[in-house]
Amino acid sequence: MEKICVAVRLRPPVTQEYSGGTFWKVDENRVSLHKVHGTPISGVSYAFDHVFDEMCSNSRVYELLTKEIIHAAVEGFNGTAFAYGQTSSGKTFTMNGSETDPGIIHRAVKDVFGRIEMMSHREFLIRVSYMEIYNEEINDLLAVENQKLQIHESLERGIFVAGLREEIVSDAEQVLKLLESGEVNRHFGETNMNARSSRSHTIFRMVIESKEKDINASADVIRVSVLNLVDLAGSERIAKTGAGGVRLKEGKHINKSLMSLGNVINKLSDGAKNRGHIPYRDSKLTRILQPALGGNAKTSIICTIAPEEVHVEETKGTLQFASRAKRITNCAQVNEILTEAALLKRQKQEIEELRKKLQGSHAVVLEQEILKLRNDLLQNELEREKLESELEEERKLKLNKLGSLDAFSDFGGSSCQPQDSGTQSLKEECNDSISKSQRDLFTTPSSKAVPNAFVARRSNYSPLPGFSPLPDAFSNVVDEDTWMKMNKGYIADLDSIQMTPARKVQSFPPSDATPGNSNENYEEVQNLKRQLELAIEERDDLKRKHEEQVRKHEEQVLLNNQLVSEISELQQEAQLIREIPQRLGECAATCKNIYVDVLSTTQSYISDEKSSAAKLLSSITEIGTSLFTTLEADFSLPIADQRLRIQEQHRVLSERLSSTVKLLVSSETLNIEDEQARKSQECTMGGDAACWKKKLSNELNTIKERHHDLAKELDSHNQLLKKSKQRYESLETEFQLLKEERDSLHKTVSESSERLLLVTDQKENIVKYMKEELQGRKDLEEKIKQFTVAFCNRKTSLMSFHSEFKSKVESLKAENVVSVPKSVGC
Ligand code: ADP
Ligand code: MG
């Protein structure tokens, strides 16, 4: 948490002579009001972070007040510096400076690029914008066509001005040129620049993005900071008593943004506990400066004051405002983000998207569609805003006309063309009001005697004599009481105060516009009709696009369902494959039982347990049983282990089998020899044994073959199992991917549909509103026609009355002429 840095700057006096008895004295960081002979006036002494006297240069102000903020901005902290004070107290001098002593903006721009050069390990992207808030309208000073811009808020960009031109810049000279062209734009078409400067706020904004050059560093982390340099409108109050002691009408017009800034500062200075709701949304200025005032920014305020005694009350007000601002605390932090707002990242993402598109996939087509749709939406939104502002213009024009129509009917259309001397005074009033409205609206007469008023010299752009209008010459400043109370912490209710109506520089309706000008009305109606048709066309187009999108979405859903059923089939197949080892195990167990049965039956035929046939049989039983047990056990193992164990077992069994066979062969040879020796003696026994031997050896071969076949079968099963598993895994991954893709598409499509619905709704509202407008216009036309007819009737009757009256007078005169001589004669 850190406090806002507040400084006060006293500008040099415009004349050397002091008419009054007080003066402001600067002592270190304290400014106090003194009597002319030097005694301080109690209670009028204020201390700040810095107090700069009249000798202080812009360079020193920059060094002590702003430099740190600028450096922090390059490091990623938001920063704001603004100048507050009454007109002609030196705000613009402090911000813009002079040729010999450049101001804060100039120095900040140079310093930013100087710092960037020193930070060679980071790459930077700088964007600048320059705007003006005038009569609560935001105008782009870098692009004259961007007028009446709107403030928006998004998660990624925070609070921003939509449609404001942001120039990407690479050096200080480029920025200074842009600033210069911005100033020219600001002065373009303006008749009284001094008045405008005093009433408008200008905000110069730099967005500084940077990231590490080192590719090993976390490349996604981008620092984005916003630097605002603000020259505020004049903060003067209005005096209730004019020059000749005449009490002025209550000043109820105020500069809304400045009032709202006062309210916000007062609320913020109340301390965290008492704060409550901070009314940032009450004005454009406070909304734009919201982060600078109540949160994540390093902020400094320079309050400029005039030394002349005539300004003493304004100066006190400014110092009270400054004292309150001093209590505000902010909490600035480096803005390291991973958001869309970062242009560097956006560019990277765009490249990535293009690459994806090149690779091609059906999702890309959809993505493109969505992108197109989004652009359309944006376009529509812009057009809607344009239409809205046009409608607003129309409405105002209509109101103006209605006003003049009312006036016209009140005066019976003759107020400016009096027919007799009785209406002379009316004529004077009328002429007076016309001449007043034709003069510059802001050059109202000075109401306060200001013998030593500071004469502000404006920049070269002003074609008028270089003077600032007197503070109380404005209509849009708050009345004395409210303004003074605000400086002391009072929170004004903006709703109860009438704001300055928007002033038009160029598009005033012609002053000779008469209510009977139906041609103009006809054109307007036609124009409105055309706009209505266009809006309807656009709405239909949007509807069509929406339907198309819905159709695509349905197709996608169908495809997804197909994929889901395919995947479930594959899962079943995989389940079957997984069951194969278990079945094989069961099969091996059955085979083993049969085998054991066969062998035990065979063994029961051999009477001599010690005979070689019996030995062989038992050995075969043992081998076979062990073989089957191994098979059974192996089928219950995972595939990889199975293979290893089978190979091992195969090796062991083969060895055992071959040793048994060898044993058998040797015992067989012995048997044969014995048999041959005993052949002559035991002829009957020999036949049986040979028969058994043959049988057993056949059995052995069958078992061998069976074993071999089983091993082969197992191998092929294993391979099949492995392949199926791989296929299942790949299918599962594909399924997951498709599912994700489907979900994201689903989400995007539903978002787009929602937005489309919203836009369609808005369109319909506009169309409805336009229809109402059209109806209103028709009614108006009807009214005008009726009025014209009534007027003609009245005129005709007046004329007939007039001629009747005239003829009566004539006849009376004639009668008198005839009768007089008669009476005289009598
Ligand atoms: P503001 O913007 O507050 O209305 P300006 O900055 O236009 O006031 O100042 C009015 C006049 O006073 C300008 O001509 C300016 O050059 C001059 N001025 C203001 N402050 C100083 C200063 N500190 N030193 C010299 N001249 C100054
Ligand atoms: Mg100024």
Side-chain angles (χ1 to χ4, degrees):
M1 296 290 268
E2 55 188 299
K3 289 230 184 291
I4 285 187
C5 188
V6 181
V8 165
R9 183 181 198 183
L10 184 67
R11 84 155 151 70
V14 70
T15 55
Q16 288 311 311
E17 37 176 290
Y18 285 98
S19 64
T22 59
F23 68 96
W24 290 99
K25 190 177 169 197
V26 174
D27 196 5
E28 299 268 311
N29 63 344
R30 182 169 282 280
V31 59
S32 27
L33 192 62
H34 285 245
K35 289 199 177 124
V36 81
H37 42 78
T39 7
I41 298 171
S42 75
V44 199
S45 177
Y46 305 85
F48 298 100
D49 296 310
H50 305 281
V51 177
F52 304 112
D53 63 15
E54 53 266 70
M55 304 303 289
C56 183
S57 65
N58 281 332
S59 136
R60 190 169 153 73
V61 173
Y62 178 77
E63 284 292 320
L64 291 175
L65 190 69
T66 334
K67 192 176 173 176
E68 204 185 298
I69 292 178
I70 306 301
H71 289 185
V74 180
E75 302 282 344
F77 291 92
N78 290 336
T80 299
F82 56 91
Y84 180 95
Q86 72 171 108
T87 296
S88 85
S89 58
K91 297 184 294 295
T92 307
F93 182 82
T94 305
M95 297 312 285
N96 293 0
S98 63
E99 290 243 316
T100 47
D101 188 13
I104 283 175
I105 297 182
H106 187 283
R107 288 171 195 276
V109 169
K110 291 246 167 192
D111 213 3
V112 163
F113 284 97
R115 294 294 290 186
I116 285 175
E117 247 169 56
M118 282 158 70
M119 293 170 76
S120 52
H121 58 287
R122 296 187 75 83
E123 67 178 293
F124 283 85
L125 191 129
I126 315 281
R127 291 176 273 153
V128 297
S129 54
Y130 194 25
M131 67 191 118
E132 174 195 58
I133 304 175
Y134 183 61
N135 269 336
E136 282 306 282
E137 281 168 4
I138 304 172
N139 302 325
D140 193 339
L141 292 177
L142 297 186
V144 263
E145 65 279 12
N146 295 346
Q147 304 267 311
K148 298 181 185 172
L149 302 175
Q150 299 298 314
I151 298 173
H152 289 289
E153 190 168 5
S154 79
L155 269 179
E156 290 126 352
R157 294 180 65 184
I159 298 161
F160 65 99
V161 179
L164 187 70
R165 177 175 292 180
E166 280 189 332
E167 290 279 351
I168 296 177
V169 288
S170 51
D171 57 50
E173 272 61 43
Q174 202 184 344
V175 183
L176 296 177
K177 269 196 194 127
L178 281 171
L179 276 166
E180 226 171 83
S181 71
E183 280 301 310
V184 174
N185 286 344
R186 192 169 169 221
H187 293 235
F188 180 78
E190 187 53 70
T191 48
N192 189 348
M193 194 52 226
N194 292 327
R196 189 179 182 108
S197 295
S198 310
R199 288 147 174 263
S200 66
H201 313 273
T202 56
I203 303 175
F204 170 65
R205 179 170 270 211
M206 283 180 108
V207 182
I208 305 169
E209 290 183 15
S210 71
K211 70 168 191 162
E212 281 284 344
K213 275 184 187 164
D214 180 7
I215 40 162
N216 297 323
S218 46
D220 274 351
V221 179
I222 291 172
R223 288 183 187 168
V224 184
S225 54
V226 180
L227 179 66
N228 293 309
L229 302 174
V230 190
D231 187 354
L232 291 172
S235 62
E236 47 274 344
R237 70 212 158 104
I238 190 162
K240 276 185 181 167
T241 319
V246 188
R247 202 170 158 75
L248 295 176
K249 275 187 195 167
E250 195 184 355
K252 49 189 175 179
H253 291 138
I254 58 154
N255 184 314
K256 189 177 177 184
S257 273
L258 209 61
M259 277 284 278
S260 162
L261 177 70
N263 274 350
V264 166
I265 297 266
N266 286 339
K267 282 256 183 182
L268 288 172
S269 64
D270 265 356
K273 275 182 200 153
N274 309 327
R275 268 185 198 177
H277 165 72
I278 312 289
Y280 294 111
R281 284 175 181 269
D282 276 1
S283 77
K284 304 262 156 80
L285 178 76
T286 43
R287 189 113 168 78
I288 293 173
L289 294 183
Q290 183 171 345
L293 294 167
N296 180 13
K298 287 178 181 280
T299 303
S300 75
I301 305 181
I302 182 146
C303 294
T304 53
I305 52 171
E308 290 80 16
E309 209 197 355
V310 70
H311 296 313
V312 115
E313 286 309 314
E314 309 293 355
T315 302
K316 276 189 199 166
T318 303
L319 294 173
Q320 278 159 352
F321 172 90
S323 303
R324 295 196 69 82
K326 212 157 64 95
R327 292 192 223 150
I328 302 174
T329 44
N330 270 357
C331 183
Q333 61 197 39
V334 174
N335 300 308
E336 285 196 325
I337 54 152
L338 293 163
T339 90
E340 295 250 319
L343 205 67
L344 281 173
K345 181 145 192 228
R346 269 214 304 268
Q347 284 170 351
K348 216 173 140 191
Q349 272 176 349
E350 269 166 23
I351 292 167
E352 201 54 39
E353 269 167 28
L354 279 172
R355 206 163 55 79
K356 269 191 210 156
K357 274 182 197 165
L358 276 175
Q359 278 169 2
S361 110
H362 72 284
V364 169
V365 183
L366 270 177
E367 214 169 89
Q368 275 174 345
E369 279 295 318
I370 288 160
L371 214 71
K372 206 170 141 265
L373 213 66
R374 253 190 229 149
N375 282 343
D376 286 351
L377 272 175
L378 207 73
Q379 194 70 27
N380 277 319
E381 211 166 288
L382 284 175
E383 270 170 31
R384 187 177 56 79
E385 270 170 20
K386 212 175 126 201
L387 270 175
E388 265 172 8
S389 66
E390 276 174 15
L391 270 174
E392 184 64 14
E393 288 276 310
E394 284 287 333
R395 204 176 57 78
K396 278 182 194 159
L397 207 71
K398 203 173 99 181
L399 281 177
N400 274 351
K401 282 205 178 141
L402 268 178
S404 58
L405 192 68
D406 286 349
F408 191 66
S409 54
D410 283 352
F411 293 138
S414 61
S415 62
C416 294
Q417 297 151 359
Q419 287 163 6
D420 57 40
S421 57
T423 51
Q424 192 57 37
S425 59
L426 198 61
K427 179 185 173 188
E428 273 165 18
E429 218 178 293
C430 169
N431 284 344
D432 196 33
S433 75
I434 289 174
S435 62
K436 260 186 203 161
S437 71
Q438 280 170 347
R439 281 203 302 266
D440 186 332
L441 289 173
F442 301 109
T443 51
T444 43
S446 153
S447 53
K448 192 173 174 185
V450 195
N452 289 323
F454 188 80
V455 179
R457 277 186 304 282
R458 294 280 157 199
S459 53
N460 308 333
Y461 303 113
S462 174
L464 292 176
F467 67 87
S468 285
L470 298 172
D472 46 10
F474 302 142
S475 60
N476 69 341
V477 287
V478 72
D479 73 278
E480 192 170 27
D481 285 349
T482 318
W483 193 246
M484 291 313 273
K485 274 194 274 173
M486 276 187 75
N487 284 329
K488 287 178 186 150
Y490 165 74
I491 312 282
D493 175 10
L494 294 190
D495 290 340
S496 70
I497 300 165
Q498 195 183 332
M499 301 298 164
T500 317
R503 171 178 165 257
K504 295 212 178 57
V505 180
Q506 273 140 353
S507 59
F508 264 122
S511 55
D512 59 345
T514 56
N517 198 345
S518 59
N519 241 0
E520 193 190 316
N521 275 332
Y522 176 74
E523 265 176 32
E524 277 167 12
V525 170
Q526 290 303 318
N527 208 5
L528 268 174
K529 264 187 194 164
R530 271 199 296 279
Q531 281 177 15
L532 184 70
E533 276 163 15
L534 273 178
I536 291 170
E537 257 175 44
E538 251 171 62
R539 192 200 52 189
D540 292 345
D541 202 32
L542 271 172
K543 257 189 195 165
R544 200 173 41 72
K545 275 183 190 153
H546 180 234
E547 277 160 14
E548 209 170 297
Q549 200 62 33
V550 169
R551 193 179 50 75
K552 271 185 192 151
H553 175 63
E554 278 167 1
E555 274 175 20
Q556 189 66 31
V557 169
L558 215 71
L559 192 74
N560 280 340
N561 288 345
Q562 265 177 19
L563 276 170
V564 169
S565 69
E566 251 175 62
I567 284 163
S568 78
E569 272 171 28
L570 280 168
Q571 273 174 336
Q572 278 172 10
E573 205 179 302
Q575 184 58 34
L576 284 176
I577 292 167
R578 267 196 228 112
E579 282 168 5
I580 289 174
Q582 193 200 338
R583 286 199 201 154
L584 281 173
E586 283 165 14
C587 184
T590 324
C591 285
K592 184 180 147 192
N593 291 340
I594 296 168
Y595 174 77
V596 170
D597 276 354
V598 168
L599 283 183
S600 59
T601 320
T602 317
Q603 221 155 12
S604 66
Y605 286 106
I606 300 169
S607 50
D608 184 5
E609 279 181 17
K610 283 174 189 166
S611 72
S612 62
K615 276 181 196 165
L616 184 66
L617 210 57
S618 89
S619 173
I620 286 167
T621 313
E622 211 178 295
I623 290 169
T625 322
S626 117
L627 190 65
F628 280 118
T629 319
T630 312
L631 270 176
E632 243 181 293
D634 285 351
F635 284 131
S636 61
L637 282 178
I639 297 169
D641 294 355
Q642 267 181 33
R643 289 177 71 80
L644 284 175
R645 240 188 100 178
I646 286 171
Q647 277 164 8
E648 179 61 23
Q649 288 290 328
H650 181 253
R651 195 180 54 75
V652 172
L653 279 173
S654 304
E655 276 172 13
R656 275 182 71 181
L657 200 65
S658 65
S659 68
T660 314
V661 170
K662 267 183 206 159
L663 198 79
L664 191 69
V665 169
S666 65
S667 74
E668 205 174 337
T669 329
L670 275 174
N671 281 346
I672 291 165
E673 280 168 7
D674 282 353
E675 208 179 325
Q676 279 173 350
R678 279 180 311 203
K679 214 174 181 180
S680 51
Q681 301 159 9
E682 300 170 42
C683 281
T684 47
M685 270 178 75
D688 270 352
C691 191
W692 274 114
K693 243 185 253 170
K694 205 177 172 189
K695 259 189 182 176
L696 281 171
S697 106
N698 282 346
E699 195 88 41
L700 188 66
N701 282 341
T702 326
I703 288 168
K704 263 186 193 172
E705 268 167 29
R706 180 101 181 106
H707 169 252
H708 192 66
D709 287 347
L710 270 171
K712 256 165 86 180
E713 202 180 333
L714 184 66
D715 225 11
S716 73
H717 274 312
N718 280 343
Q719 271 170 15
L720 196 69
L721 199 64
K722 203 177 160 194
K723 270 185 197 161
S724 304
K725 209 175 165 191
Q726 276 170 358
R727 193 160 162 233
Y728 172 69
E729 272 165 9
S730 75
L731 277 169
E732 212 161 44
T733 348
E734 203 181 326
F735 172 62
Q736 278 310 326
L737 284 174
L738 281 166
K739 211 172 152 192
E740 273 167 27
E741 197 181 320
R742 185 201 58 184
D743 286 346
S744 79
L745 278 171
H746 199 279
K747 210 174 139 203
T748 337
V749 168
S750 69
E751 275 172 10
S752 307
S753 310
E754 267 171 34
R755 255 185 265 162
L756 257 171
L757 277 176
L758 208 74
V759 170
T760 318
D761 274 351
Q762 281 169 347
K763 280 264 155 229
E764 270 164 11
N765 283 345
I766 292 171
V767 169
K768 207 173 133 199
Y769 184 65
M770 282 179 79
K771 273 184 185 160
E772 281 170 8
E773 278 291 310
L774 205 63
Q775 192 52 44
R777 209 145 271 281
K778 275 182 189 162
D779 292 344
L780 185 65
E781 257 181 2
E782 198 49 48
K783 209 173 162 188
I784 292 165
K785 268 186 201 157
Q786 281 172 8
F787 176 78
T788 318
V789 173
F791 177 65
C792 286
N793 289 343
R794 232 171 126 180
K795 208 173 163 187
T796 333
S797 66
L798 198 72
M799 273 165 74
S800 69
F801 171 73
H802 193 254
S803 56
E804 212 176 290
F805 180 73
K806 223 174 167 184
S807 66
K808 270 199 180 158
V809 168
E810 289 296 323
S811 66
L812 272 172
K813 264 186 193 169
E815 267 175 35
N816 280 345
V817 171
V818 177
S819 62
V820 168
K822 265 185 191 171
S823 61
V824 170
C826 288

